[in-house]
Amino acid sequence: MSKVKQNDTVKVHYTGTLENGEVFDSSLQREPIEFTLGQGQLIPGFENGVIDMTVNEKKTIHIPSAEAYGDVREELIQEVPKAELPPEIEPQIGMGLVSRTPDGREIQLVVKDVKDEAIVVDANHPLAGKDLTFEIEVLEIK
């Protein structure tokens, strides 16, 4: 029976949970994901976890934050004067915002704090600093 190896394209169903058991993402109610190992499409710990799995095999993998979305980087948390926000935006904690870099790239931000004259935004991935657990089932190896 063939096993998943580097450069294979695979289809998998997965459910991702945090340490407290909260589900943060799952493919079970939609199409499975398809990806090619070694192309950096998914976090390293997920790709490494499917290596040597066979079709119809189910497995639970635990991924430390370093192999997932990395540690929280303090330099990605910044205070922004409210005067720099568009006037129609009423910032709320947890609100998502998008900023553009000078070269035109979009950066996803989350409002962490709202002060009188400024807001605190965080550009870290929402799962940065978190260890993750995935239930994975390999459906197809191409």
Side-chain angles (χ1 to χ4, degrees), residues 8-134:
D8 281 349
T9 298
V10 297
K11 274 189 183 179
V12 302
H13 264 310
Y14 68 91
T15 298
T17 56
L18 302 175
E19 288 180 284
N20 65 5
E22 176 189 341
V23 174
F24 64 83
D25 193 15
S26 177
S27 68
L28 296 179
Q29 303 304 317
R30 58 183 191 266
E31 290 296 311
I33 60 167
E34 182 174 314
F35 64 97
T36 301
L37 277 80
Q39 294 188 350
Q41 296 170 294
L42 300 177
I43 58 175
F46 192 99
E47 284 199 13
N48 292 336
V50 299
I51 296 221
D52 290 333
M53 288 183 71
T54 59
V55 172
N56 297 322
E57 182 179 354
K58 293 181 181 182
K59 180 170 150 183
T60 300
I61 59 171
H62 302 283
I63 304 173
S65 64
E67 293 178 35
Y69 294 96
D71 294 326
V72 172
R73 294 175 36 208
E74 292 302 321
E75 69 271 18
L76 297 180
I77 301 172
Q78 297 182 353
E79 196 165 293
V80 176
K82 282 185 178 176
E84 292 183 16
L85 297 174
E88 69 274 9
I89 292 184
E90 184 63 42
Q92 305 287 326
I93 292 175
M95 172 187 272
L97 299 174
V98 177
S99 178
R100 279 199 197 282
T101 63
D103 64 2
R105 286 185 310 118
E106 287 189 350
I107 299 174
Q108 303 292 321
L109 305 170
V110 175
V111 177
K112 290 294 185 187
D113 194 13
V114 178
K115 300 179 178 182
D116 290 338
E117 299 297 322
I119 62 171
V120 177
V121 294
D122 185 350
N124 283 289
H125 188 282
L127 296 173
K130 294 181 172 29
D131 295 338
L132 309 176
T133 298
F134 284 94

